[in-house]
Amino acid sequence: MGESLIMKRASKVSYRGTRILIISLSLVFLFCAKEKSERPTFGLVVHGGAGTILRKNMTPEREKNYRLALTQALSAGYGILEGGGSSLDAVETVVRMLEDSPLFNAGKGAVFTDQGTNELDASIMDGSTLNAGAVAAVKHIKNPVSLARLVMEKSPHVLMVGEGAEAFAREQGIELVPRDYFYTEKRWKQWQGSKKKKSDKPSSSMLHVTSPPVGTVGATALDKNGNLAAATSTGGLTNKKFGRVGDSPLIGAGTYADNGSCAVSGTGHGEYFMRFLVAYDISSLMTYRGLSLNEAVETVIMQKLTQQGGSGGVIAIDRKGNVSMKFNTEGMYRGFMVENQDAVVKIYKE
Ligand code: ASP
């Protein structure tokens, strides 16, 4: 009798325990499902360069043009991702659009070198495979980012430079343009001004003979399959010396993407980005130290880069759709667009 009472109680207790367990598990499941459904499953971030971008120097017309170009690029990238396209296709398309715009220091609007030429650098990285491609110091390539992608996909190499890269472009049937395609009056005048500054300061170092960088372009994206990609394209620094290559075509410095962490594209004084491996450093802080995207970007840009005297910023997106856009300059042309949200475009510090 006593024994069966004990058994009955025990089975009641275990029944209650099971119910509590089921209810708790359901609550955890519901919470996770809600969290998941609220997270964007795709999205992209773009930049059009960081530097001395001040509201007081901007006309309403110019500001409108920059905002429009960034919004159009975001919408195009978003369309690709929404339709199930890859993050690689999205970043390449977005960067191509910005390369074709004379507003940015990439492709059509590239700055002039010390010799009065235009030498372009670009790179692209696939976070799902860690494959990457890049080109540097090319002079006749209309869309260097697409040549970078061909280096990644159609050659066993990661980086090709100068004439070799252009021979490869011809082999691949990619569009080449005459050098004067890259002429824009704005950049020519900037170069003249920069040369004058140089002759005013005959003993100045390399750091002083280059103008503050503004206008490099980049994009990072997360697609519906959870794949991350990043791409960056630039004309480099105004008045740069023969053969100078910046961070933008260097994987780990100006560009990095890893599905396990994030996708990053940088802009700023490339010599600093190269020495600090800015893009890879951000990814590594997430991988090895478990930092969030924002914490990693804050540590590398706002602390390390700033403390060392480097200027610039990055845009980044992680595999959960978190976005980060930080810079230590006066402004950075930037924007993002994630699933089911309108595009956000910003220029100044806010
Ligand atoms: N990072 C580029 C370079 O040093 C310039 C820029 O981002 O504006 O070539």
Side-chain angles (χ1 to χ4, degrees), residues 59-129:
T59 64
E61 179 73 9
R62 265 182 71 203
E63 180 168 334
K64 202 178 95 200
N65 290 339
Y66 276 105
R67 287 186 183 278
L68 184 68
L70 292 170
T71 309
Q72 283 172 341
L74 280 170
S75 306
Y78 187 91
I80 292 171
L81 297 171
E82 191 179 34
S86 72
S87 50
L88 261 187
D89 284 345
V91 295
E92 184 190 354
T93 301
V94 164
V95 168
R96 278 181 73 98
M97 286 175 76
L98 299 174
E99 283 176 342
D100 289 343
S101 162
L103 292 174
F104 302 98
N105 172 20
K108 176 67 189 157
V111 297
F112 285 89
T113 68
D114 176 65
Q115 326 250 286
T117 57
N118 309 94
E119 294 186 2
L120 315 172
D121 304 335
S123 64
I124 191 163
M125 185 159 183
D126 178 352
S128 68
T129 56

Side-chain angles (χ1 to χ4, degrees), residues 56 65 100 117 159 167 179 225 306 310 313:
K56 67 174 171 64
N65 290 339
D100 289 343
T117 57
L159 173 62
R179 277 164 55 171
N225 292 320
T306 307

